[in-house]
């Protein structure tokens, strides 16, 4: 569909397998959306005047929550715009996107307003901006966290950028804690990773690519965890990539620290071997690490050490990827394939279905502290209807303006028939 | 059809005699074309009353079919242990076919210097010439149909015989 | 379905195994590396002729694209191309448009009108020649003259030629490579070539700060001690130490490096009595190698340079030949698809 529906939905979804990880529900039922609100879930519902969606053989899921997306605002160096990218999200069953502060950056209410306006106009998905923690994301002076939160930001973060020193970091965390704002961390020590573009390991050695050692992440994570403990701030660690980090996270959770974590979908499916032939589509930060790291990340998602799976969607224009590997911009587009790739992990036996779906619905909502990712009656409906066996042919159906993905021409399982976002239809397949 | 050792030795004796008769006063240099011509040159040199200075050419870099056949790593590079300037060269090959190998060998010779003359000595001319190149001394002249060649094998047993070839486009394979 | 990955040899070779780009020694078949050495052998004498040329690449255009300056390497490539009778164009891109921000892709597009038959590329980014061969100009033979830390295959092959010349072959050979392995594209290419050609053991010697992580994964044994590393080796290859390494907390001083890893006669005694000493050049006297060794009887450093021209001639002619046979194959299959019957005309 070219543009989202402006009207509040009045839809009866019949006989779908309704899966709601938050409540543990998994059964065949009807769902009724009236005036945009999810009013009833039950057997053989009646709804005169409602649009009927036959969901026999389909799944009905809460709208997906993507905890990490890099928006394409002018000047961000990314391709596409909020309309094109949120449309790709909607077609992939995603209704809520947490936008990283590095588009802008998000350190003024004007930028927050711009994001919310453009998202609202396009109407494909709800964008929840994360505010910059420091001014200009330069890591030196505090940003106006309270004002930005009031304008609609749900959390603060430094988008993986360097913070000048431990003192500035501690004060930033204390300030965020004042307003009970969660802080998003992307741990990577800047000096240890300077100039690097690949995991420091046998593949980078052979390809002669400057490496980023795993310890760059765990050194930073270790410091961050100690400061989180000292300041009492709510913390979410993004795009964890190495085994060593998982050790630290497990210990922190055992001690009862209020920390959560996510991993990007590509780190669960790919490892450093994907770089062979200098494949610049696999140039991402944090880098794709070893097969052992990948296995450990999958186990961590399974046991809940890692709460959520995100796309880390970064749409990049082809000219920025058409260059020798180290000269390309890092990042992978992922909104088109997040759901299908999660289903692929389930079908390969790497994750249980319930945990996998939880990792992209209720869990990221919890990490971000937002009301989403659940099928809750009485609230505006955000859900999707999925044909788990249907083929999504990305050769035809890819929607993001960024073609930078190894799955750009793949055929994956899992095609979304209908997405409803905050009570309005945001995607309807033909 | 074939030639046994005795028939070939008879040809080689006649060729050596012809060389001696026509070129003895010119103090020529003997240059064989790898690999069959180099062998023939050595055999002729052994029959001459006085041995001539002997060299060999491998004109692989001067062939006209580099674009289609490519470059094969050559094991025996050209070896000319003398100055060619102002000299009379006897270029020797075992079988004269289209004449292109001789053309390539002459081009290579001229990159070494400027000979006073080049004369061609071959054991067999099989009548397939595509260029205006002819033998000055020839063991035996034949008129073979396009699909036939003469193959020389040796040194023991020394034998030459006519072979049929399967011709496909520009590439030739032995049947 | 996970995406498929292209191994480097698929890019470098035609369907029937001929060389069409020379980007890295890694993953190439042994027979091909030996062909390069054999072909180079037949080119060695060309420099001794009155006319130091053969007409193999006559009418072909070779473009030297050097994004990283290097007079030495560039002049050997230029000389090699000229000895093959090719027309040579030198583009010193380091000083021109790309400094103004023109991308590599744009630079190459602008060169399309020149109808080059071959690019010789040196670039600071690992993988640049792969990018060019794969995605920009697959029908122009690309020769890698050095990319980032990744590969310097022609240097490795001239080193292999040198070793074969002095040692007769590679079986049973122990070769030590000493110095800044971490930043060395030459070392990586040498390790691959030595393993493919059948050397018995390749050793990498240096301080931990100059050894890459997982160096063993390259196919070598790692030593941090010269006495142990050089014990009974047949060939010692010393690498150049850049002055910048002292500034980036990798080494304290040239003096300490020389004391521990610099090659002098004392340390050379650990190697076999007939071991040869090599260096890709230019040498830093008193830093990685003492003059007594560089100028001594076991050093073959000067001959490496002579062999370099012949090796580059070999690689260039093989790659052009591979590209030509590729386009002929393509033309032939197009013809047969279009139903153009009959034998092709005599040339």
């Amino acid at each position: 569909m070219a543009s989202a529906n402006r009207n509040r939905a009045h839809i009866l979804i019949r006989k779908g397998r309704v899966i709601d990880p938050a409540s543990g529900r998994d059964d065949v039922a009807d769902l009724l959306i009236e005036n945009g609100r999810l009013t009833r879930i039950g057997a053989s519902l009646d709804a005169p005047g409602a649009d009927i969606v036959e969901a026999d053989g389909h799944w009905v899921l809460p709208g997906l929550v993507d905890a990490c997306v890099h928006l394409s605002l002018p000047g961000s160096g990314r391709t596409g715009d909020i309309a094109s990218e949120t449309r790709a999200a909607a077609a992939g069953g995603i209704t809520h996107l947490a936008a990283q502060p590095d588009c802008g950056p998000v350190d003024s209410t004007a930028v927050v307003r711009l994001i919310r306006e453009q998202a609202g106009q396009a109407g494909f998905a709800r964008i929840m901006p994360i505010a910059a923690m420091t001014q200009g994301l330069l890591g030196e002076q505090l940003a106006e966290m309270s004002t930005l939160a009031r304008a609609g930001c749900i959390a603060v973060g430094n988008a993986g950028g360097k913070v000048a020193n431990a003192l500035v970091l501690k004060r930033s965390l204390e300030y965020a804690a004042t307003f009970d704002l969660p802080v998003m961390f992307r741990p990577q020590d800047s000096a240890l990773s300077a100039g690097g573009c690949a995991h420091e390991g046998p593949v980078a050695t052979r390809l002669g690519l400057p490496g980023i050692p795993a310890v760059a992440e765990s050194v930073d994570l270790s410091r961050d965890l100690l400061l989180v403990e000292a300041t009492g701030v709510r913390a979410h660690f993004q795009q964890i990539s190495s085994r060593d980090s998982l050790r630290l996270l497990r210990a922190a959770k055992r001690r009862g620290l209020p920390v959560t974590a996510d991993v990007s979908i590509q780190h669960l499916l790919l490892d450093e071997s994907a770089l062979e032939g200098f494949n610049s589509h696999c140039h991402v930060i944090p880098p794709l690490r070893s097969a052992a790291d990948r296995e450990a990340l999958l186990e961590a998602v399974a046991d809940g050490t890692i709460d959520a799976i995100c796309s880390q969607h970064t749409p990049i224009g082809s000219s920025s990827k058409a260059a020798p590997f180290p000269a390309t911009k890092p990042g992978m587009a992922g909104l088109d394939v997040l759901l299908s790739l999660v289903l692929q992990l389930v079908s390969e036996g790497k994750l249980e279905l319930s945990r996998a779906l939880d990792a992209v619905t209720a869990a990221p909502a919890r990490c971000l502290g937002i009301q989403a990712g659940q099928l809750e009656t009485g609230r505006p409906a955000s859900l999707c209807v999925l044909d788990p066996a249907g083929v999504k042919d990305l050769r035809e159906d890819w929607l993001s303006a960024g073609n930078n993905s190894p799955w750009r021409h793949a055929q994956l399982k899992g095609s979304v028939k209908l997405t409803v976002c905050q009570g309005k239809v945001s995607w309807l397949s033909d | 059809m074939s030639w046994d050792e005795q028939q070939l030795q008879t040809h080689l004796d006649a060729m050596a005699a012809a060389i001696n008769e026509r070129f003895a006063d010119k103090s020529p240099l003997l240059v064989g074309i790898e690999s069959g011509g180099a062998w023939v040159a050595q055999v002729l040199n052994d029959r001459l009353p006085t041995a001539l200075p002997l060299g060999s050419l491998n004109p692989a870099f001067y062939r006209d079919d580099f674009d289609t056949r490519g470059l094969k790593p050559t094991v025996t590079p050209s070896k000319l242990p003398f100055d060619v300037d102002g000299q009379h060269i006897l270029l020797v090959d075992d079988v004269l076919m289209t004449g292109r190998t001789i053309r390539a060998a002459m081009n290579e010779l001229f990159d070494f210097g400027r000979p006073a003359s080049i004369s061609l000595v071959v054991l067999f001319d099989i009548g397939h010439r595509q260029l205006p190149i002819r033998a000055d001394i020839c063991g035996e002249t034949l008129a073979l149909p396009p699909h036939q060649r003469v193959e020389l094998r040796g040194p023991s047993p020394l034998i030459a015989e006519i072979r049929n070839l399967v011709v496909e486009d520009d590439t030739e394979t032995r049947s | 379905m996970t995406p498929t990955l292209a191994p480097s040899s698929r890019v470098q070779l035609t369907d029937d195994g001929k060389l069409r780009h020379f980007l890295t020694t890694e993953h190439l078949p042994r027979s091909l590396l030996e062909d390069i050495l054999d072909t180079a052998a037949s080119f060695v004498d060309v420099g001794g002729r009155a006319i130091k040329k053969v007409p193999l690449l006559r009418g072909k255009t070779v473009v030297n694209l050097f994004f990283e300056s290097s007079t030495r390497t560039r002049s050997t490539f230029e000389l090699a191309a000229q000895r093959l009778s090719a027309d040579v164009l030198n583009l010193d891109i380091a000083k021109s448009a790309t400094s103004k921000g023109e991308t590599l892709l744009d630079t190459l597009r602008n060169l399309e009108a020149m109808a080059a038959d071959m690019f010789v590329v040196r670039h600071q980014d690992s993988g640049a020649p792969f990018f060019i061969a794969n995605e920009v100009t697959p029908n122009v033979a690309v020769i890698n003259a050095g990319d980032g830390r990744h590969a310097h295959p022609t240097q490795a092959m001239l080193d292999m030629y040198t070793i074969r010349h002095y040692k007769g072959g590679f079986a049973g050979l122990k070769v030590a490579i000493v110095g800044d392995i971490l930043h060395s594209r030459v070392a990586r290419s040498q390790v691959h070539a030595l393993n493919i050609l059948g050397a018995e053991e390749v050793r990498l010697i240096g301080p931990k700060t100059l050894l890459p992580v997982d160096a063993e994964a390259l196919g070598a044994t790692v030593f941090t001690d010269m006495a142990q590393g050089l014990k009974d080796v047949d060939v010692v290859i010393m690498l150049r130490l850049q002055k910048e390494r002292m500034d980036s907390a990798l080494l304290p001083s040239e003096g300490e490096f020389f004391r521990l890893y610099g090659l002098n006669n004392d340390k050379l005694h650990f190697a076999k009595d007939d071991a040869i000493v090599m260096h890709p050049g230019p040498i830093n006297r008193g830093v990685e190698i003492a003059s007594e060794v560089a100028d001594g009887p076991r050093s073959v450093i000067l001959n490496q340079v002579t062999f370099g021209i012949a090796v580059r001639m070999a690689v260039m002619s093989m790659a052009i030949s591979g590209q030509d046979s590729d386009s002929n194959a393509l033309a032939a299959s197009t013809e047969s698809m279009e139903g153009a019957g009959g034998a092709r005309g005599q040339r």
Side-chain angles (χ1 to χ4, degrees):
Chain A
M1 57 194 312
S3 63
N5 202 309
R6 299 284 144 204
N7 303 320
R8 296 214 180 83
H10 192 56
I11 305 177
L12 174 64
I13 303 173
R14 295 229 291 237
K15 293 204 174 58
R17 176 180 169 189
V18 179
I19 311 177
D20 179 33
S23 63
R25 176 180 209 127
D26 184 350
D27 60 356
V28 174
D30 292 354
L31 245 100
L32 181 58
I33 303 173
E34 289 175 292
N35 214 13
R37 284 185 187 277
L38 177 60
T39 50
R40 297 175 59 197
I41 308 177
S44 306
L45 297 181
D46 220 5
D51 297 322
I52 312 277
V53 171
E54 298 294 350
D56 192 10
H58 290 59
W59 297 355
V60 182
L61 308 173
L64 268 59
V65 178
D66 193 341
C68 178
V69 162
H70 291 273
L71 290 181
S72 321
L73 286 186
S76 65
R78 299 177 195 121
T79 190
D81 53 29
I82 286 179
S84 67
E85 304 314 291
T86 50
R87 185 161 164 248
I94 303 170
T95 54
H96 291 72
L97 305 165
Q100 289 292 307
D102 62 350
C103 56
V106 185
D107 62 358
S108 73
T109 52
V111 177
V112 179
R113 262 202 310 275
L114 177 66
I115 293 172
R116 298 188 72 190
E117 268 164 24
Q118 287 192 0
Q121 268 165 28
F124 289 113
R126 185 85 193 278
I127 297 185
M128 295 149 315
I130 296 168
M133 189 173 75
T134 60
Q135 285 174 28
L137 288 175
L138 294 171
E140 286 167 3
Q141 304 296 333
L142 300 181
E144 294 181 320
M145 299 184 210
S146 167
T147 308
L148 293 166
R150 267 202 335 199
C153 290
I154 55 159
V156 302
N158 223 45
K162 180 183 158 152
V163 178
N165 52 54
L167 179 63
V168 173
L169 181 55
K170 179 165 182 278
R171 290 189 175 154
S172 305
L173 300 186
E174 285 166 343
Y175 197 69
T178 308
F179 313 104
D180 200 28
L181 281 170
V183 177
M184 318 288 276
F185 294 83
R186 208 193 66 198
Q188 185 165 281
D189 183 83
S190 52
L192 284 172
S193 57
C197 59
H199 169 60
E200 192 181 83
V203 174
T205 293
R206 278 183 28 250
L207 295 182
L209 295 172
I212 300 175
V215 82
E217 180 178 284
S218 41
V219 153
D220 222 23
L221 176 61
S222 164
R223 179 181 79 160
D224 294 340
L225 285 170
L226 289 166
L227 285 172
V228 163
E229 192 166 13
T231 57
V233 76
R234 278 193 291 148
H236 178 72
F237 292 93
Q238 307 217 266
Q239 286 98 67
I240 297 301
S241 69
S242 88
R243 285 170 289 181
D244 304 326
S245 302
L246 296 173
R247 254 189 310 128
L248 296 168
L249 276 171
R250 283 199 179 96
K253 286 189 169 190
R254 264 202 308 271
R255 280 209 314 281
L257 285 187
V259 300
T260 52
D262 70 50
V263 64
S264 79
I265 183 67
Q266 59 261 25
H267 283 83
L268 295 177
L269 283 156
L270 300 171
D271 59 49
E272 58 188 337
S273 63
L275 269 57
E276 291 290 356
F278 296 97
N279 184 357
S280 65
H281 284 324
C282 294
H283 179 195
V284 291
I285 302 290
L288 299 171
R289 299 200 187 271
S290 70
D293 288 310
R294 177 165 96 88
E295 284 303 317
L297 291 168
L298 281 163
E299 280 166 23
V301 174
D303 72 25
T305 304
I306 291 190
D307 304 79
I309 303 173
C310 67
S311 70
Q312 204 189 358
H313 179 74
T314 314
I316 293 176
S318 47
S319 59
S320 298
K321 284 289 194 185
F325 191 100
T328 56
K329 279 207 181 118
M332 208 184 271
L335 289 173
D336 289 275
V337 292
L338 175 62
L339 179 52
S340 294
L341 293 177
V342 167
L343 294 178
Q344 186 175 308
L345 287 173
V346 175
S347 70
E348 287 173 358
K350 300 278 170 64
L351 285 178
E352 300 274 344
L353 179 63
S354 54
R355 177 77 266 269
L357 291 177
D358 177 56
V360 288
T361 54
R366 237 179 14 245
C367 298
L368 297 168
I370 60 171
Q371 275 279 12
Q374 311 175 49
L375 292 173
E376 247 192 314
T377 48
R379 299 188 57 80
S382 287
L383 53 81
C384 67
V385 177
L386 166 75
D387 176 2
V391 172
K392 184 168 186 176
D393 190 344
L394 280 324
R395 293 174 299 186
E396 317 253 310
D397 298 335
W398 185 273
L399 288 176
S400 167
N403 292 312
N404 51 314
S405 163
W407 291 283
R408 173 61 181 83
H409 301 282
Q411 292 162 283
L412 301 174
K413 290 266 175 67
S415 72
V416 173
K417 188 167 170 162
L418 166 74
T419 308
V420 175
C421 174
Q422 299 287 97
K424 300 184 186 152
V425 173
S426 59
W427 175 260
L428 182 65
S429 73
D430 0 83
Chain B
M1 191 183 169
S2 68
W3 297 257
D4 63 21
E5 173 128 18
Q6 196 170 6
Q7 292 167 305
L8 293 173
Q9 297 289 12
T10 309
H11 281 326
L12 291 164
D13 286 336
M15 289 160 69
I19 290 173
N20 193 42
E21 191 192 309
R22 285 154 57 175
F23 293 97
D25 58 332
K26 296 218 171 85
S27 305
L29 308 177
L30 211 51
V31 176
I33 299 178
E34 290 286 354
S35 55
W39 180 83
V40 171
Q42 179 65 66
V43 165
L44 289 173
N45 213 17
D46 293 339
R47 285 170 164 71
L48 294 172
T50 3
L52 298 173
L54 184 62
S56 67
L57 277 180
N58 191 334
F61 301 144
Y62 294 77
R63 296 179 65 100
D64 62 9
D65 56 2
F66 175 62
D67 281 1
T68 44
R69 290 186 53 184
L71 189 66
K72 294 181 188 357
T74 56
V75 182
T76 27
S78 301
K79 225 178 347 222
L80 293 184
F82 38 66
D83 191 0
V84 308
D85 279 330
Q87 301 290 341
H88 297 279
I89 307 282
L90 294 180
L91 196 54
V92 184
D93 206 359
D94 51 350
V95 183
L96 171 59
M97 298 190 281
T98 60
R100 292 171 191 272
T101 306
I102 308 300
R103 194 278 316 160
M106 286 203 287
N107 273 47
E108 180 165 7
L109 261 180
F110 271 88
D111 276 354
F112 278 89
R114 189 174 178 278
S117 73
I118 300 178
S119 307
L120 181 60
V121 177
V122 297
L123 183 49
F124 288 102
D125 176 350
I126 64 173
H128 285 183
R129 275 179 298 125
Q130 295 171 350
L131 301 176
I133 287 175
R134 53 125 184 79
D136 296 286
I137 293 175
C138 180
E140 183 166 341
T141 308
L142 305 165
L144 293 183
H147 66 279
Q148 286 187 339
R149 298 279 181 275
V150 170
E151 189 180 279
L152 180 70
R153 293 199 306 278
S156 23
L158 186 63
I159 190 170
E161 58 183 19
I162 294 187
R163 302 289 304 257
N164 288 314
L165 295 168
V166 175
V167 179
E168 270 176 47
D169 294 315
D170 284 321
T171 57
E172 298 173 349
T173 48
R174 295 193 185 283
S175 64
Chain C
M1 175 189 101
T2 38
T4 50
L5 313 158
S8 55
S9 46
R10 218 185 282 162
V11 178
Q12 301 195 82
L13 303 177
T14 63
D15 288 336
D16 44 357
K18 292 193 201 162
L19 195 68
R20 65 172 170 189
H21 299 291
F22 193 47
L23 309 174
T24 176
T25 47
E26 192 180 11
H27 296 142
L28 287 177
R30 178 172 177 160
S31 56
L32 182 66
L33 294 191
E34 286 171 345
D35 282 351
I36 294 175
L37 297 179
D38 290 338
T39 307
S42 44
F43 283 121
V44 168
D45 298 325
V46 173
R49 301 183 181 189
I51 301 207
K52 297 176 182 45
K53 280 187 190 232
V54 293
L56 272 176
L57 261 54
R58 201 171 53 122
K60 303 285 185 186
T61 303
V62 173
V63 180
N64 280 332
L65 285 174
F66 275 59
F67 293 85
E68 248 183 23
S69 301
S70 160
T71 335
R72 284 163 45 103
T73 310
R74 211 195 65 195
S75 11
T76 26
F77 272 105
E78 194 174 340
L79 203 51
Q82 286 172 352
R83 290 208 176 152
L84 291 168
S85 304
D87 297 323
V88 183
L89 186 62
N90 283 315
L91 294 181
D92 233 344
I93 317 260
K95 295 173 195 144
S96 70
T98 28
S99 350
K100 297 179 201 141
E102 187 183 60
T103 62
L104 177 56
L105 193 59
D106 289 333
T107 306
L108 288 163
R109 296 253 185 266
N110 290 336
L111 294 178
E112 264 177 325
M114 293 185 189
D117 298 286
M118 170 173 282
F119 288 135
V120 177
V121 183
R122 172 171 277 206
H123 199 285
Q124 59 275 15
D125 285 332
S126 299
F130 265 90
F131 170 68
I132 295 173
N134 249 331
E135 298 182 41
V136 190
T137 51
N139 301 316
V140 176
V142 178
I143 308 291
N144 184 5
D147 63 327
R149 300 179 196 175
H150 171 237
H152 196 354
T154 59
Q155 176 70 44
M157 289 314 293
L158 81 87
D159 293 333
M160 297 305 112
Y161 189 95
T162 309
I163 293 174
R164 194 171 86 160
H165 180 86
Y166 287 100
K167 293 291 174 185
F170 298 89
L173 229 53
K174 295 191 179 57
V175 179
I177 307 174
V178 184
D180 185 1
I181 315 286
L182 176 62
H183 298 95
S184 174
R185 51 190 174 216
V186 174
R188 283 166 174 79
S189 288
Q190 288 167 338
V191 172
H192 296 313
L194 286 165
N195 283 322
I196 293 170
L197 288 164
E200 181 175 304
E201 191 189 354
V202 184
R203 299 182 186 178
L204 300 173
I205 309 176
K208 280 193 163 188
T209 44
L210 294 181
L211 288 167
V213 165
D214 296 299
E216 293 89 349
L218 287 171
T221 33
V222 175
F223 291 83
T224 50
D225 180 87
M226 278 290 256
Q228 288 172 13
L230 289 181
K231 191 158 160 45
D232 296 331
V233 300
D234 302 281
V235 180
V236 184
I237 303 178
M238 301 304 298
L239 297 176
R240 179 183 167 76
L241 186 71
Q242 313 268 39
K243 297 216 187 305
E244 301 91 80
R245 308 304 171 220
M246 259 59 72
D247 298 331
S248 6
L250 289 163
L251 286 177
S253 66
E254 285 176 355
E256 184 154 294
F257 180 81
F258 183 64
R259 183 173 64 78
L260 293 165
Y261 299 99
L263 188 65
N264 54 18
N265 280 333
D266 285 340
K267 295 210 193 80
L268 192 50
H269 275 133
F270 293 118
K272 287 213 180 94
D273 291 336
D274 62 350
I276 54 173
V277 174
M278 295 169 51
H279 190 306
I283 61 179
N284 273 328
R285 289 168 184 270
V287 179
E288 66 258 4
I289 190 167
S291 289
E292 65 189 6
V293 175
D295 304 327
R298 314 255 222 97
S299 159
V300 302
I301 295 172
L302 290 176
N303 288 347
Q304 286 174 265
V305 181
T306 321
F307 299 144
I309 299 172
V311 164
R312 279 152 185 152
M313 288 172 75
V315 164
M316 291 165 94
S317 42
M318 288 169 73
I320 292 264
S321 163
Q323 285 284 343
D324 281 343
S325 78
D326 238 11
S327 49
N328 284 334
L330 184 64
S333 67
T334 325
E335 269 183 23
S336 60
M337 285 194 306
E338 289 167 357
R344 294 204 278 144
Q346 290 278 353
R347 291 189 313 121

